[in-house]
Amino acid sequence: MLSVELHAHSSLSYDGRDPIELLLEQAQAVGLDALAVTDHDEIEESLRAADIAEEYGLVGIPGMEVTSAAGHVLGLGIDELVPAGLSFDETLTEIRDQGGIAVVPHPFQSSRHGVAPHITRTQLAGADAIEVYNSRLFTGRSNRKAEKFATARDLPKTAGSDAHISEMVGQAVTQVGTDDRSVEGILDAVVRGETNVIGNRTPWRISLRQFGGGVTRRVRRGVADFF
């Protein structure tokens, strides 16, 4: 059984704060076996994290959080950028064409680009896994809806800290039923549904700090791009 963080953001994300080295250090410190850096519509730092993860005793899973036309989709096990703005189905196809898997994060939280309001339940069930525990939700309602949906459809379940600062890496963990310490071994086990989810809700004060910091960084980047 491996403990895996499948949803974390570095400073390359418009709302992330810390470099990948701090994310990797935190993952190592809390006893994780693997880490996926999943920046918004960016992949360069995730690829770099995957390259150096072994130095921290970790498996580095390359990936990204893609902004599809319907909302966010995690592409894991990919090594090329999946363009934003494609339809939900096209996004899944792009991820799978690279040999990756498509995990839908916070699907029922429309305020954070959850896809559920914009696609059919059949389309949602076409994902490789559903994130049923996201630690950054202020209430548990959306998590419960995701859990209920995945259980009813017998879909693989994952958890994610959705960390935007390094201290929150490992707040929500997917326990993967494999001893194969490789990207392929971990993701294959996820697709087979050999997972358990554990975690704690991000403290509200930290969620607010992450949100506020993300807004500030987005404004700064917008000003920099303007000039």
Side-chain angles (χ1 to χ4, degrees):
M1 184 77 72
L2 302 180
S3 296
V4 184
E5 169 69 81
L6 292 174
H7 191 174
H9 297 270
S10 80
S11 55
L12 186 59
S13 284
Y14 65 84
D15 52 359
R17 188 191 71 184
D18 293 326
I20 59 166
E21 288 82 3
L22 290 184
L23 274 64
L24 290 163
E25 287 177 8
Q26 174 70 6
Q28 181 186 46
V30 298
L32 296 181
D33 296 293
L35 170 68
V37 174
T38 53
D39 288 319
H40 292 290
D41 300 316
E42 302 281 1
I43 198 170
E44 289 84 359
E45 288 299 273
S46 182
L47 296 177
R48 192 165 72 85
D51 284 342
I52 67 173
E54 189 175 358
E55 298 173 16
Y56 298 82
L58 298 164
V59 178
I61 301 173
M64 61 183 294
E65 186 165 11
V66 186
T67 306
S68 77
H72 289 171
V73 179
L74 297 176
L76 303 175
I78 62 176
D79 56 13
E80 294 181 7
L81 190 77
V82 175
L86 300 177
S87 73
F88 178 79
D89 294 333
E90 289 171 332
T91 300
L92 266 58
T93 297
E94 288 278 338
I95 291 167
R96 289 166 177 163
D97 282 350
Q98 293 191 41
I101 71 170
V103 179
V104 181
H106 45 72
F108 292 97
Q109 192 175 23
S110 57
S111 63
R112 292 181 55 225
H113 304 284
V115 302
H118 309 292
I119 61 174
T120 68
R121 294 298 184 262
T122 299
Q123 286 177 293
L124 181 56
D128 295 303
I130 302 293
E131 184 186 81
V132 302
Y133 191 93
N134 181 293
S135 70
R136 286 192 65 208
L137 301 181
F138 283 103
T139 72
R141 182 171 179 270
S142 296
N143 280 341
R144 290 192 295 271
K145 288 182 71 173
E147 171 78 29
K148 182 178 179 180
F149 178 83
T151 298
R153 299 288 186 124
D154 195 27
L155 297 171
K157 303 172 183 177
T158 69
S161 299
D162 203 353
H164 286 67
I165 60 176
S166 58
E167 296 96 313
M168 290 298 101
V169 169
Q171 192 76 0
V173 173
T174 306
Q175 293 184 321
V176 182
T178 182
D179 294 322
D180 184 347
R181 292 179 61 89
S182 70
V183 174
E184 295 77 12
I186 291 169
L187 298 185
D188 285 349
V190 170
V191 172
R192 292 195 300 268
E194 297 173 2
T195 61
N196 293 311
V197 300
I198 58 173
N200 299 294
R201 187 175 300 167
T202 300
W204 65 267
R205 65 187 183 281
I206 294 179
S207 286
L208 288 175
R209 192 171 78 197
Q210 289 185 122
F211 176 77
V215 170
T216 300
R217 284 185 289 275
R218 186 185 296 186
V219 169
R220 286 175 178 169
R221 290 189 184 188
V223 171
D225 290 344
F226 179 78
F227 288 104

